Amino acid sequence: MPETLPATIPTVASTPRGRSLGQRAFQRLRRNPIALLSLTYIVGLVLVALLAPVIAPYGYAAVDFTAITQAPSEKHWLGTDQLGRDVLSRLIHGTRVSLSVAFVAQAIILLIGVPIGLASGYIGGRFDLVVQRVVDVLYAFPSLLFVIIVMTFIQANLRTASGPFGELLVQANRATGGLLGVFIALGLIFWLTVARLVRAEVLKVKTNDYIDGARSLGASDWQIIRRHVFPNVLPPIIVATTLGLPAAIMIEAGLSFLGLGVAPPTPSWGLMIADAVPSIRGHPHMILAPAVALSLTLLAFNFLGDALRDAIDPWMSR
Amino acid sequence: MTTYVLQRVALLVPSLLVVYTITFFLMQATPGSPWNDDGGRPIPPQVVERLNERYGLDRPIWEQYTTFLWGIVSRGDLGDSYTRVGQSVNTIIRNFFPVSLQLGLVAMAIAVVFGITLGIVSAVNHNTWVDRLATFLSIVGISTPNYVVATVLVVLLAVTLGWLPTSGWDGPFSRRVIIPASALALAPMALIARYTRASMLETLRLDYVRTARAKGLRGQLILIRHCLPNALMPVVTVAGVAFTEVVTGSFFVETITGVPGIGRYFVTSVTARDYPVIIGTTLLFATVVMIMNLLVDLLYFFINPKLRYA
């Protein structure tokens, strides 16, 4: 039976289901109680970070030598540390450090990784080969060592920075509690993973007929990337970013734990854990609070990222 | 196949050269010198001059770069440590790296055994409470940083209960290894469990498994002889990556539990500007990463007949 072409070609937007991948993903996410709980926790954490000076009962550096290493009480809900500082207040201010590292570092990673991955996968050929060699070589660099070396370099240079641009950097560093080095170091090494991921996805998408179709209809490369390639690459990027957030938090806390991260008295959860280690026996509350906060936060991001992956994965929708 | 391996091996050298170059110039461009120790007694300028002369730091940067490189290439000599007087970096690596490696191997053994078991149990009991609990625990495992695990274990097992020593190192088969190795093992264990579960679930659905069942083979035999080898393929990749992370990322745990490994040494050498130790450690770790990646690729090749005969 010979079929005639329909008068109007149905557009992609009007699939029978009438709902976009994003909408369906959100539907599935809403049915996952752990994901919702995690999302609520993260939103709450962001609010705490934004409102830190208002919520915190004391200043994060307010020393009270009459109340040293006190157990939790009505006055100090989570007790005080070895300098008589309120643990709860430091914990609250610490959310700013953790979240800013997570989001700023991820932003830098995306800004470098996504364009390079898109270009490398889309253009292909010799350009792709060169980019892949660079990525391969940098991949051999042990990432934590790279972060530590680059961070030391940036921090030492910030101390001697001059000129208008240098001044700006020094101020930016002060505003972030000495974290500028951590941001940049994390961004400079972890874009590799994103670039690889994006490239692999682009290579997959590129083989689809609708790309050829778009090209034969006269779409420019830029239009094809923006309208057809990028939207398809977006879901894995979202998942990778969500799972990258806890990784950045974990590394910052680790570096601060070793005394390489934030500059005291800026409270970082990692620094609080390190400070509490010597008095672990007599005053376990000091270490418990930041350790639990850190683990819960990482847990929430990982649960959310996991649920997002399941929600976006087209295989799961069958 | 041989060409592929040779290509990969040939790529090792330029990669290491790039790693060396980046590390060298980053360290050089970092203000400060190894001799102005913060907080210590100020060193007289004559002594600084003498020290610079002794370690060749008075030469132009390019000369330092090539001299050091030539030392590595011609004699495998990574230079002398600035902070540990009279010790070469080679000696330091020989003394400390085996400890990190042994600790990493014990940790990985724990991670592989428990991770795969957990993954299989999860997959076999798919969508029951056992599976949900195991999945939940594996996300908890991935989310808990190893320095938190190490601290908690020290507090719980060593300080409060007094079952284990708090710190130190007596080789890979002593009681002292339990805390640091468990702390290091948790994250890779969780990761391996997740990958094993996922790929086991996929394998269990395949036709040949159904055939084996139809033939009347015992369930456990099917699981171990037929499913596991196939299901373990993606796990090999994860385990390889996890191993390099355990070996090159052990410095948090080493610092807390007082294990004299190379990771702990690296941290002190960065703050002390001990250039040769930093470059030596970085090159060593980079080599470990690259060789491990190569091994994983080769292993993948050997356990997957589809790739071998293609």
Side-chain angles (χ1 to χ4, degrees):
Chain A
M1 189 176 89
E3 262 186 87
T4 50
L5 279 173
T8 54
I9 299 165
T11 55
V12 181
S14 62
T15 44
R17 275 174 152 164
R19 279 185 299 162
S20 73
L21 182 67
Q23 282 168 325
R24 268 179 286 146
F26 185 69
Q27 286 277 320
R28 274 196 291 273
L29 204 62
R30 268 199 347 205
R31 268 183 264 129
N32 185 338
I34 293 183
L36 278 186
L37 202 67
S38 303
L39 191 63
T40 318
Y41 175 85
I42 292 166
V43 171
L45 208 64
V46 172
L47 287 178
V48 167
L50 289 175
L51 300 172
V54 185
I55 306 174
Y58 301 87
Y60 64 80
V63 175
D64 181 1
F65 286 116
T66 60
I68 288 170
T69 58
Q70 280 186 350
S73 66
E74 224 165 275
K75 231 173 123 194
H76 300 282
W77 288 1
L78 292 175
T80 59
D81 69 2
Q82 76 284 1
L83 294 173
R85 295 175 297 196
D86 184 52
V87 171
L88 180 64
S89 304
R90 287 180 68 71
L91 207 60
I92 289 173
H93 279 278
T95 53
R96 292 189 151 193
V97 170
S98 288
L99 291 182
S100 64
V101 164
F103 290 114
V104 177
Q106 276 306 317
I108 297 175
I109 290 166
L110 291 178
L111 276 179
I112 307 175
V114 174
I116 290 181
L118 277 175
S120 176
Y122 190 79
I123 298 171
R126 195 160 292 175
F127 177 75
D128 181 40
L129 211 66
V130 172
V131 172
Q132 285 317 301
R133 278 297 87 79
V134 173
V135 170
D136 280 346
V137 169
L138 282 177
Y139 237 89
F141 222 120
S143 47
L144 274 176
L145 300 198
F146 182 89
V147 170
I148 293 177
I149 294 172
V150 171
M151 202 185 61
T152 323
F153 166 76
I154 295 169
Q155 283 175 345
N157 274 298
L158 280 175
R159 248 173 262 140
T160 54
S162 58
F165 190 62
E167 281 294 316
L168 196 73
L169 284 181
V170 171
Q171 270 174 14
N173 190 41
R174 201 170 300 141
T176 53
L179 281 175
L180 201 60
V182 184
F183 293 156
I184 299 174
L186 285 174
L188 282 183
I189 190 75
F190 288 106
W191 65 269
L192 296 171
T193 324
V194 174
R196 270 198 174 175
L197 175 84
V198 171
R199 174 179 175 271
E201 291 295 323
V202 170
L203 289 182
K204 246 189 269 168
V205 173
K206 229 169 66 168
T207 58
N208 282 323
D209 288 340
Y210 61 76
I211 302 283
D212 287 336
R215 187 169 294 122
S216 62
L217 286 173
S220 70
D221 284 336
W222 174 240
Q223 278 174 324
I224 294 177
I225 290 182
R226 202 167 50 96
R227 295 288 303 274
H228 302 287
V229 178
F230 186 67
N232 280 302
V233 176
L234 197 57
I237 296 179
I238 294 173
V239 174
T241 306
T242 318
L243 292 172
L245 294 167
I249 295 178
M250 203 187 267
I251 290 175
E252 181 279 319
L255 293 173
S256 295
F257 180 87
L258 292 175
L260 299 170
V262 295
T266 309
S268 151
W269 293 346
L271 190 65
M272 290 174 71
I273 295 174
D275 282 346
V277 167
S279 40
I280 222 166
R281 191 166 202 169
H283 313 286
H285 68 271
M286 266 170 66
I287 198 160
L288 229 52
V292 168
L294 180 61
S295 300
L296 277 182
T297 306
L298 297 174
L299 206 57
F301 276 113
N302 278 329
F303 270 130
L304 188 66
D306 238 43
L308 265 178
R309 174 167 36 207
D310 289 350
I312 286 171
D313 193 348
W315 294 97
M316 298 287 290
S317 60
R318 292 192 180 163
Chain B
M1 175 66 199
T2 335
T3 349
Y4 174 72
V5 175
L6 285 178
Q7 266 177 356
R8 288 286 301 266
V9 173
L11 206 64
L12 283 177
V13 179
S15 304
L16 283 175
L17 188 68
V18 173
V19 170
Y20 166 71
T21 310
I22 294 176
T23 317
F24 182 88
F25 285 106
L26 269 178
M27 292 312 303
Q28 287 294 336
T30 307
S33 94
W35 319 125
N36 50 14
D37 202 17
D38 297 325
R41 271 185 304 150
I43 305 170
Q46 297 96 312
V47 178
V48 171
E49 218 169 274
R50 198 84 58 75
L51 282 169
N52 279 340
E53 214 175 299
R54 154 80 176 79
Y55 291 102
L57 290 173
D58 53 344
R59 307 280 169 74
I61 288 181
W62 275 107
E63 205 183 315
Q64 291 182 38
Y65 174 82
T66 43
T67 314
F68 196 78
L69 186 62
W70 181 241
I72 302 173
V73 176
S74 61
R75 288 167 275 131
D77 178 11
L78 293 163
D80 290 333
S81 164
Y82 296 163
T83 44
R84 294 215 159 187
V85 182
Q87 277 204 31
S88 72
V89 177
N90 295 50
T91 319
I92 291 171
I93 288 179
R94 215 173 301 130
N95 288 342
F96 295 98
F97 183 57
V99 175
S100 290
L101 199 62
Q102 286 165 0
L103 177 62
L105 284 172
V106 176
M108 276 316 286
I110 299 176
V112 167
V113 170
F114 286 92
I116 291 180
T117 315
L118 209 64
I120 296 176
V121 170
S122 263
V124 172
N125 300 298
H126 185 45
N127 272 344
T128 63
W129 68 268
V130 180
D131 179 29
R132 290 208 188 90
L133 183 71
T135 310
F136 180 84
L137 285 180
S138 78
I139 294 191
V140 173
I142 291 170
S143 306
T144 321
N146 56 25
Y147 42 93
V148 171
V149 183
T151 322
V152 170
L153 288 180
V154 168
V155 175
L156 207 71
L157 299 178
V159 177
T160 314
L161 297 170
W163 290 349
L164 291 167
T166 46
S167 67
W169 180 255
D170 282 333
F173 300 109
S174 73
R175 290 164 61 220
R176 285 187 201 275
V177 84
I178 297 176
I179 291 180
S182 316
L184 275 176
L186 188 67
M189 183 190 85
L191 208 63
I192 290 173
R194 292 183 65 177
Y195 275 83
T196 310
R197 173 183 177 272
S199 88
M200 208 53 185
L201 281 176
E202 244 166 63
T203 319
L204 283 170
R205 284 194 208 110
L206 295 180
D207 286 342
Y208 78 94
V209 177
R210 196 184 305 152
T211 313
R213 283 235 170 80
K215 274 199 319 194
L217 289 184
R218 276 189 21 246
Q220 277 180 351
L221 191 75
I222 297 175
L223 218 59
I224 291 175
R225 288 282 298 280
H226 296 241
C227 296
L228 198 56
N230 274 323
L232 282 188
M233 263 192 284
V235 180
V236 169
T237 322
V238 196
V241 175
F243 178 71
T244 44
E245 271 173 17
V246 163
V247 172
T248 62
S250 60
F251 47 75
F252 298 130
V253 172
E254 285 177 7
T255 310
I256 301 166
T257 56
V259 173
I262 195 84
R264 196 168 69 143
Y265 207 89
F266 177 80
V267 176
T268 47
S269 67
V270 169
T271 39
R273 297 290 152 72
D274 202 338
Y275 300 144
V277 177
I278 297 167
I279 293 176
T281 323
T282 313
L283 284 179
L284 174 77
F285 281 10
T287 315
V288 172
V289 172
M290 284 190 289
I291 290 181
M292 206 55 213
N293 287 346
L294 183 60
L295 281 182
V296 165
D297 279 3
L298 289 183
L299 204 61
Y300 209 74
F301 201 81
F302 279 113
I303 55 177
N304 189 348
K306 271 187 217 156
L307 283 175
R308 217 182 318 156
Y309 299 118

